[in-house]
Amino acid sequence: MHSRWIEEVLMNIEKVIVGKREIAELSITALLAGGHVLLEDVPGVGKTMLVRALATTIGAQFKRIQFTPDLLPSDVSGVSVYNPQTMQFEFRPGPLIGNIILADEINRTSPKTQSALLEGMEESSITVDGTTIQLPKPFFVMATQNPIEYEGTYPLPEAQLDRFIFKLKMGYPTKLQEMDILKRAERQLPIEQIQSVLTISELVELQRQVQEVIVDDTIVSYIVDCAEATRQHESISLGVSPRGSLSLMKACQAYAFIRGRSYVLPDDVQYLAPFAFSHRLILHPQAKYEGIDPIEIIQQVLQQIEVPVHRSTI
């Protein structure tokens, strides 16, 4: 049953986003794993439309936050306002109170405002005037940032990047794909034509089922070996944290679930590791100067680590 749901979600998104099935699939993987996604790419390649399509497809409450230098934490999380009629303070929720949140150009706002978003991502709750407010379930953030404009921006520090389960790039479409995009939008935007195919309660149930996917001890050991190898690599000054290992394991559970399996394979680890690990690495200055790509390092690490070839008794 869940395979039909996942396929319907993907087909719905593909009505809006042309030629990006892998990105859509990875986004759904992150959503099912309870993680969040950082989309880094140039403007106009469909980042916002992808998030809107995902929210519409599952009938979720969609909120968009345009991060600007003058944005305050209260503009994100909400604020308590005094009501003279009741003579009490009333909480007015901000755009962070929703199911699927688009944090657009997150690196354009101050670290103080970024922290309001990141608290919700990590704790599934926010604190306003000393009061803790639980966020709705599911709660999923897709943050975007532009990699070509750094003037007037506040790059996310490594400790905050570590809170994203994946870092993804959309990339430009091919010529035929771009022609298809233009033809689809000739009379009406595709986003206005799609309907939800999944309810919030069904999605929460799928997230629960993902947690039941079996991760054999040999797979757990394999993930830890890969993380440890990044900490010892000569080109890396700071490797993957235990949070990164945990994120990869949860992502593998979700990906196996999407593939219709009740267990994780080494292939899942090898496929997802570059998306889950690359943004968590800090390279040595010399490696940066030489233009070494973190993804290349992760591929090297995966080639060096012995791949488990059998399952232990479960």
Side-chain angles (χ1 to χ4, degrees):
M1 180 65 73
H2 75 266
S3 298
R4 177 183 61 81
W5 278 338
I6 298 299
E7 186 60 30
E8 286 183 359
V9 170
L10 285 169
M11 290 175 62
N12 223 26
I13 293 175
E14 286 184 316
K15 293 177 182 177
V16 179
I17 305 296
V18 178
K20 301 298 178 185
R21 186 179 180 89
E22 181 183 40
I23 297 298
E25 197 171 68
L26 288 169
S27 299
I28 295 171
T29 299
L31 174 60
L32 292 177
H36 308 282
V37 172
L38 178 62
L39 280 171
E40 184 179 78
D41 220 320
V42 296
V45 293
K47 300 187 296 294
T48 301
M49 202 60 68
L50 170 64
V51 188
R52 286 185 60 192
L54 183 59
T56 303
T57 295
I58 63 174
Q61 189 179 26
F62 171 72
K63 297 290 185 68
R64 181 180 183 274
I65 308 173
Q66 181 63 54
F67 283 88
T68 57
D70 60 346
L71 198 71
L72 300 175
S74 59
D75 296 329
V76 174
S77 57
V79 64
S80 295
V81 179
Y82 182 73
N83 187 335
Q85 295 180 343
T86 62
M87 293 185 293
Q88 292 180 339
F89 283 93
E90 298 177 353
F91 175 66
R92 293 188 179 177
L96 194 58
I97 312 296
N99 297 121
I100 294 187
I101 312 299
L102 171 61
D104 216 358
E105 296 189 286
I106 188 176
N107 58 334
R108 290 203 175 276
T109 196
S110 68
K112 186 175 183 179
T113 304
Q114 290 173 0
S115 66
L117 172 69
L118 294 163
E119 178 194 0
M121 291 169 54
E122 182 68 15
E123 308 295 339
S124 296
S125 64
I126 55 175
T127 304
V128 179
D129 295 334
T131 302
T132 299
I133 300 169
Q134 294 296 319
L135 295 174
K137 292 184 179 181
F139 178 72
F140 178 61
V141 174
M142 292 192 80
T144 70
Q145 63 180 17
N146 185 344
I148 62 172
E149 294 178 1
Y150 288 106
E151 185 175 351
T153 63
Y154 303 85
L156 291 174
E158 284 69 23
Q160 295 180 359
L161 285 171
D162 204 30
R163 285 166 170 77
F164 291 97
I165 193 170
F166 290 150
K167 180 180 178 181
L168 306 177
K169 295 184 178 181
M170 296 282 289
Y172 284 115
T174 64
K175 180 179 179 179
L176 290 177
Q177 289 170 351
E178 191 164 354
M179 290 174 63
D180 192 8
I181 293 171
L182 298 184
K183 293 295 291 183
R184 292 188 186 192
E186 190 173 0
R187 291 183 176 85
Q188 186 179 10
L189 291 176
I191 189 67
E192 299 172 357
Q193 303 173 14
I194 64 173
Q195 304 292 327
S196 63
V197 298
L198 195 67
T199 65
I200 292 293
S201 59
E202 288 170 341
L203 175 60
V204 172
E205 173 60 20
L206 291 179
Q207 290 179 323
R208 186 195 65 78
Q209 292 179 25
V210 163
Q211 297 174 2
E212 298 177 354
V213 173
I214 297 169
V215 186
D216 190 72
D217 286 349
T218 58
I219 300 295
V220 174
S221 177
Y222 183 44
I223 291 173
V224 173
D225 287 344
C226 293
E228 284 187 341
T230 66
R231 301 165 197 163
Q232 300 167 5
H233 198 280
E234 59 182 8
S235 298
I236 299 176
S237 61
L238 183 65
V240 173
S241 67
R243 180 191 282 140
S245 302
L246 180 61
S247 293
L248 178 56
M249 185 188 75
K250 289 183 175 296
C252 288
Q253 286 179 291
Y255 187 72
F257 183 79
I258 287 176
R259 292 298 181 203
R261 284 185 271 106
S262 61
Y263 53 89
V264 174
L265 294 175
D267 290 350
D268 302 328
V269 178
Q270 293 174 344
Y271 173 63
L272 295 175
F275 303 111
F277 280 179
S278 63
H279 59 291
R280 305 176 194 271
L281 305 180
I282 300 180
L283 304 186
H284 285 301
Q286 182 62 29
K288 291 181 180 179
Y289 176 76
E290 294 174 358
I292 295 178
D293 188 347
I295 292 181
E296 294 178 2
I297 295 178
I298 295 169
Q299 297 291 0
Q300 293 174 10
V301 166
L302 291 172
Q303 292 174 5
Q304 295 168 1
I305 304 299
E306 183 179 357
V307 180
V309 294
H310 69 278
R311 299 176 62 196
S312 62
T313 302
I314 299 174

